[in-house]
Amino acid sequence: METTSTPTHCPYCALQCGMNITPLPQGGVEVTERPDFPVNRGALCGKGRTAARVLSPAARLTSPLVRSGGRLVEAGWDEALDRVAGALSSVRARGGPDAVGVFGGGGLTNEKAYGLGKFARVVLGTSQIDYNGRFCMSSAAAAGTRAFGLDRGLPFPLEDIPRTGCVVLVGSNLAETMPPSLRFFRELRDNGGTLIVVDPRRTRTAEQADLHLAPRPGTDLALALGLLHLVVAENRTDEEYIRERTTGWEEARAAAMAHWPEYVERITGVSVPRLRQAVRMFCEPESAMVLTARGPEQQSKGTDTVGAWINLCLATGRAGRPLSGYGCLTGQGNGQGGREHGQKADQLPGYRRLDDPAARRHVAEVWGVAPDSLPGPGRSAYELLDALGTDVRALLLMGSNPVVSAPRAAHVEERLRSLDFLAVCDVVLSETAELADVVLPVTQWAEETGTTTSLEGRVLLRRRAVAPPAGVRSDLEVLHGLAVRLGVEKGFPTDPEEVFGELRRASAGGPADYSGITYRRLADENGVFWPCPEVPAQDTGAAGAATGFPAPHRPAPATAHPGTPRLFLDRFATDDGRARFVAVAHRAGAEEPDAEYPLLLTTGRVVAQYQSGAQTRRVAELNAAAPGPFVELHPRLAARLGAAEGDPLAVVSRRGRAVAPARITAAIRPDTVFMPFHWPGEGRANTLTNPALDPVSKMPEFKTCAVRVELLGPRT
Ligand SMILES: Nc1nc2c(c(=O)[nH]1)N[C@H]1C(S)=C(S)[C@@H](COP(=O)(O)OP(=O)(O)OC[C@H]3O[C@@H](n4cnc5c(=O)[nH]c(N)nc54)[C@H](O)[C@@H]3O)O[C@H]1N2
Ligand SMILES: Nc1nc2c(c(=O)[nH]1)N[C@H]1C(S)=C(S)[C@@H](COP(=O)(O)OP(=O)(O)OC[C@H]3O[C@@H](n4cnc5c(=O)[nH]c(N)nc54)[C@H](O)[C@@H]3O)O[C@H]1N2
Ligand code: SF4
Ligand SMILES: [Mo]
């Protein structure tokens, strides 16, 4: 049994804080500080500190479950895997390969995400695979790719933040969603830099800001265009930079000039003097950054919205220069790596495109299959969930809980119920697992080794620290067991390091090139930033290094590639090396308030719960801190409704109705209500949300929909 302390990383968000895990003699484990990891330097939020509670057998699944007589009952692994393989192959026999769908998650390690994508394409032959990252940062990824030719959430390490002149944080509440990262912004201000926060609510993050802009939800696109208009009007553009490092300025400039500050004030509710103040703060220092999170991204125009903020950076020469740039604060534990290695509908490993013939040839060769045998791009996450029970009749789901987290969740729940067959791999019996025909209980973070890629693009080794309880298997073992039963004997190893070795080869030469990264380097170097191509053996003298496989236990070559903490300093990743402006214009949200639904609902997070709550709702300390859903509303709106603090409110949209107690605060706009989305049942925020999709990224509009609010009876 392992008894010593192991340095590893938190299972939850994309900060991937370092922590030490020590098994205790009396059973259970202790989480302690790990000061050597530079991102959190020992600090952890409450979720990280209590993460080990979910390792306890009492909190989680320890036996496969199969549906029998309408109920889920315990079964052996062989029976459960036979049942899944049998159902998937009979659905495929009846409906063809695309009748089987696969849904993954951005919390899965790189090895699992890679394995799941390969399993879908090689074993099932289906195009119908996507994952929950589509609900997360896909608009920022699309905009980053469009402008820079490459999407890596942050093109620089967090440690650059304290040394820049100004940071604009657009729709990020990182004081609650990544608490240890607040330190970088405090240091920024201590060093004389300024922080601007753009959020319809005065959040804990906004309280730290020098300037808080509180636009109406869904109007960030207009806001960014208004700022760019002022930049031009006040002669604050960097003409030399625009000439030398960009294309498309004339069109983007013309589009911005149509957005007069007074017009933008009318749309956003942010006054012209405050717009001017923001422009001054952003443009006067030597360097500045714009960072976006889910606020501006989870909109049916999220890609253009992020594009408008990128245009602002480009026009002022604030991208691809030291201490300046645009970045997206990716959310999930492996939100970055999870979007690179092939669980996405249109993608092959290494951030390659599935419709690129050269990429297909390269990956098919690594996989030992014919390029023509690889299916084409499939549906995006919401479109896939919406198609369940129609042409997609069976689903294998790994690492997501869409019954709570998908938009228009009651409809998604109904689609899941209409499937011929649903298999769920999870650690706990999530609300989605409860609907399954077979539930496969898997090992989690501290019980298995794997790599994640943090929001900085830093590839990390998350080490195994404790033995898993009897009765659970890893996701890689599940994929192996199913592949063998479906007639593919080889190609699905269960050792994560072996999978990583293959991932390195598959990613070699792609945009997200991991070929120069080994487990050993990750252990020695506290993470390596991609791209990190392998240096050929003849350049290093290290025998066998060029084969790239098998990776395990090979020493790093003496002159190994150092990795790439900072991107774009010399050139952008486009064909001509220049960043591309995109001409964008303001447009309304998919659903604007009207007489029947006069308010805007926006949704998000609280510090003590994580996502669908499947893990954190099983931790007593976190439930004590955040026991249930609520509706945040302004005192003026509360007075109009006659509602007092804690009164039950019904929030009604065109999709349905949710009930939760009132939380009255002047920190929110009077025309907006806010609900966190962490809970199932009557307080489920996603019963209300609108699945209107961004046309480019297919991101649903989680951040705005039209609602009305009703007071339910007198307070009890
Ligand atoms: N405690 C906790 N931490 C988490 C998570 C969690 O579930 N719980 N999840 C992780 C994941 S996967 C993610 S993606 C990140 C998300 O991290 P964040 O993006 O910080 O989280 P959110 O609360 O979804 O949204 C941020 C802010 O956007 C604001 N907002 C709403 N509508 C708009 C709008 O139209 N425009 C603008 N500018 N702002 C708007 C909200 O008021 C909210 O304060 O957090 C990660 N960390
Ligand atoms: N209204 C509203 N809805 C939202 C959002 C919002 O801001 N507003 N945000 C969206 C965003 S950004 C995101 S990222 C999604 C997230 O929403 P979900 O995709 O539902 O994410 P989680 O709740 O993290 O679900 C992960 C599931 O996988 C399980 N799990 C954890 N580790 C493993 C593992 O290693 N293997 C397997 N097989 N399972 C594992 C967990 O127990 C849990 O059940 O929600 C989206 N939904
Ligand atoms: S901030 Fe994120 S990674 Fe760090 S301890 Fe909290 S949940 Fe874990
Ligand atoms: Mo996310």
Side-chain angles (χ1 to χ4, degrees):
M1 177 189 150
E2 292 116 319
T3 51
T4 50
S5 173
T6 307
T8 189
H9 295 272
C10 178
Y12 297 122
C13 86
L15 213 52
Q16 285 296 285
C17 293
M19 56 171 60
N20 284 318
I21 297 274
T22 316
L24 299 170
Q26 68 271 30
V29 306
E30 191 181 25
V31 172
T32 52
E33 265 190 26
R34 183 185 157 194
D36 71 302
F37 188 62
V39 174
N40 63 311
R41 296 190 213 150
L44 297 171
C45 79
K47 297 182 299 300
R49 275 198 306 277
T50 58
R53 300 274 193 284
V54 191
L55 298 170
S56 150
R60 45 107 58 103
L61 294 165
T62 52
S63 164
L65 304 173
V66 301
R67 196 161 292 279
S68 162
R71 290 180 40 242
L72 284 172
V73 298
E74 293 195 356
W77 269 95
D78 278 337
E79 182 192 345
L81 289 172
D82 286 348
R83 196 130 146 200
V84 178
L88 298 186
S89 62
S90 70
V91 166
R92 187 175 54 177
R94 283 199 309 274
D98 281 352
V100 180
V102 177
F103 199 93
L108 301 175
T109 59
N110 288 316
E111 293 77 0
K112 295 177 184 191
Y114 173 84
L116 194 65
K118 179 178 177 185
F119 180 82
R121 272 74 179 228
V122 173
V123 179
L124 300 173
T126 181
S127 68
Q128 300 298 304
I129 174 171
D130 209 46
Y131 82 120
N132 70 5
R134 192 71 76 168
F135 298 162
C136 189
M137 62 335 110
S138 57
S139 293
T145 305
R146 201 159 76 172
F148 307 128
L150 183 72
D151 154 47
R152 195 184 85 186
L154 292 180
F156 41 71
L158 287 166
E159 68 187 44
D160 283 2
I161 287 171
R163 294 182 294 131
T164 187
C166 173
V167 177
V168 190
L169 259 183
V170 192
S172 160
N173 185 13
L174 52 79
E176 299 213 44
T177 53
M178 300 182 176
S181 72
L182 202 54
R183 176 175 54 94
F184 296 104
F185 299 87
R186 290 220 176 94
E187 288 172 11
L188 164 76
R189 298 187 66 214
D190 291 347
N191 292 344
T194 55
L195 177 64
I196 303 176
V197 169
V198 182
D199 195 307
R201 304 185 303 138
R202 196 177 68 246
T203 58
R204 287 187 206 172
T205 312
E207 278 167 10
Q208 308 284 325
D210 298 281
L211 177 65
H212 172 210
L213 307 179
R216 201 168 155 267
T219 63
D220 303 81
L221 176 50
L223 185 74
L225 286 161
L227 297 177
L228 184 52
H229 181 111
L230 284 169
V231 162
V232 176
E234 296 177 4
N235 279 322
R236 295 183 187 272
T237 51
D238 184 335
E239 295 297 327
E240 190 186 332
Y241 174 94
I242 292 173
R243 217 169 29 247
E244 285 174 8
R245 299 208 54 190
T246 72
T247 56
W249 170 231
E250 276 317 311
E251 294 78 3
R253 179 180 183 281
M257 292 324 279
H259 294 74
W260 287 90
E262 294 72 17
Y263 170 59
V264 169
E265 175 179 317
R266 256 197 334 273
I267 296 170
T268 62
V270 178
S271 71
V272 175
R274 290 175 82 75
L275 295 173
R276 287 193 192 280
Q277 192 185 351
V279 166
R280 246 189 341 267
M281 285 167 65
F282 184 68
C283 292
E284 280 176 1
E286 278 285 286
S287 54
M289 297 172 177
V290 172
L291 303 178
T292 64
R294 301 310 79 78
E297 298 169 15
Q298 289 174 328
Q299 300 184 13
S300 61
K301 50 178 177 288
T303 306
D304 282 353
T305 300
V306 173
W309 286 100
I310 292 176
N311 286 353
L312 182 69
C313 291
L314 295 177
T316 52
R318 298 182 180 302
R321 280 181 167 171
L323 304 178
S324 278
Y326 161 76
C328 150
L329 296 162
T330 296
Q332 297 184 83
N334 193 31
Q336 180 67 49
R339 72 196 198 226
E340 298 165 2
H341 299 297
Q343 59 177 331
K344 199 161 164 252
D346 52 2
Q347 189 192 61
L348 289 169
Y351 224 134
R352 289 184 155 93
R353 291 179 60 97
L354 188 50
D355 59 7
D356 168 2
R360 293 170 70 88
R361 277 197 304 277
H362 172 85
V363 175
E365 198 195 325
V366 175
W367 288 350
V369 299
D372 288 349
S373 73
L374 298 176
R379 290 182 174 94
S380 75
Y382 180 76
E383 294 169 307
L384 175 56
L385 295 171
D386 187 40
L388 300 181
T390 62
D391 53 319
V392 180
R393 310 231 36 111
L395 185 73
L396 172 65
L397 189 142
M398 190 177 271
S400 181
N401 186 13
V403 166
V404 178
S405 59
R408 196 186 173 197
H411 171 71
V412 167
E413 185 173 342
E414 184 257 315
R415 292 288 89 209
L416 284 159
R417 286 182 195 278
S418 75
L419 281 166
D420 294 348
F421 183 80
L422 173 64
V424 173
C425 303
D426 207 306
V427 175
V428 297
L429 192 63
S430 71
E431 288 71 21
T432 308
E434 282 174 18
L435 306 183
D437 297 288
V438 176
V439 183
L440 300 168
V442 292
T443 51
Q444 33 176 332
W445 60 293
E447 298 161 352
E448 53 184 20
T449 293
T451 61
T452 60
T453 307
S454 81
L455 80 171
E456 299 179 291
R458 189 197 294 258
V459 186
L460 297 165
L461 187 62
R462 198 157 75 186
R463 293 179 184 80
R464 173 180 157 127
V466 289
V472 304
R473 292 189 185 173
S474 73
D475 289 300
L476 294 178
E477 287 174 302
V478 169
L479 293 177
H480 173 84
L482 293 177
V484 170
R485 282 170 177 76
L486 291 165
V488 180
E489 296 286 332
K490 287 213 173 70
F492 291 87
T494 59
D495 173 15
E497 193 168 1
E498 197 177 336
V499 178
F500 190 77
E502 187 183 305
L503 179 157
R504 294 174 56 205
R505 278 203 301 150
S507 77
D513 190 331
Y514 282 39
S515 60
I517 305 176
T518 61
Y519 270 30
R520 179 177 170 139
R521 274 191 73 175
L522 294 178
D524 292 347
E525 296 175 33
N526 239 338
V528 176
F529 291 80
W530 72 256
C532 180
E534 180 161 44
V535 178
Q538 58 269 31
D539 297 349
T540 65
T547 65
F549 187 74
H553 316 305
R554 197 179 57 230
T559 55
H561 189 286
T564 316
R566 294 174 185 82
L567 292 169
F568 311 140
L569 292 177
D570 302 324
R571 64 191 310 277
F572 294 97
T574 52
D575 290 342
D576 59 5
R578 291 158 177 264
R580 292 182 284 247
F581 279 100
V582 179
V584 292
H586 165 71
R587 56 186 195 267
E591 204 177 61
E592 290 291 329
D594 57 16
E596 211 181 334
Y597 302 99
L599 297 164
L600 281 175
L601 169 74
T602 192
T603 60
R605 297 162 163 79
V606 298
V607 65
Q609 296 289 350
Y610 189 69
Q611 314 273 63
S612 73
Q615 290 154 288
T616 48
R617 282 186 279 111
R618 286 172 167 82
V619 178
E621 292 92 323
L622 299 177
N623 282 335
F630 56 86
V631 182
E632 201 175 278
L633 76 170
H634 191 272
R636 282 219 295 280
L637 174 58
R640 217 160 63 225
L641 295 166
E645 181 75 11
D647 280 354
L649 299 179
V651 183
V652 186
S653 80
R654 288 184 178 83
R655 270 73 50 199
R657 169 191 177 91
V659 176
R663 185 175 289 185
I664 301 173
T665 166
I668 189 166
R669 295 172 54 96
D671 58 5
T672 302
V673 295
F674 169 85
M675 288 182 78
F677 77 98
H678 309 294
W679 290 274
E682 69 167 12
R684 179 173 66 184
N686 276 320
T687 303
L688 306 167
T689 49
N690 186 357
L693 302 182
D694 178 281
V696 183
S697 68
K698 309 287 179 183
M699 160 68 85
E701 188 141 75
F702 286 116
K703 288 295 190 262
T704 70
C705 71
V707 295
R708 67 168 176 270
V709 179
E710 297 163 358
L711 174 64
L712 291 182
R715 197 155 32 139
T716 47

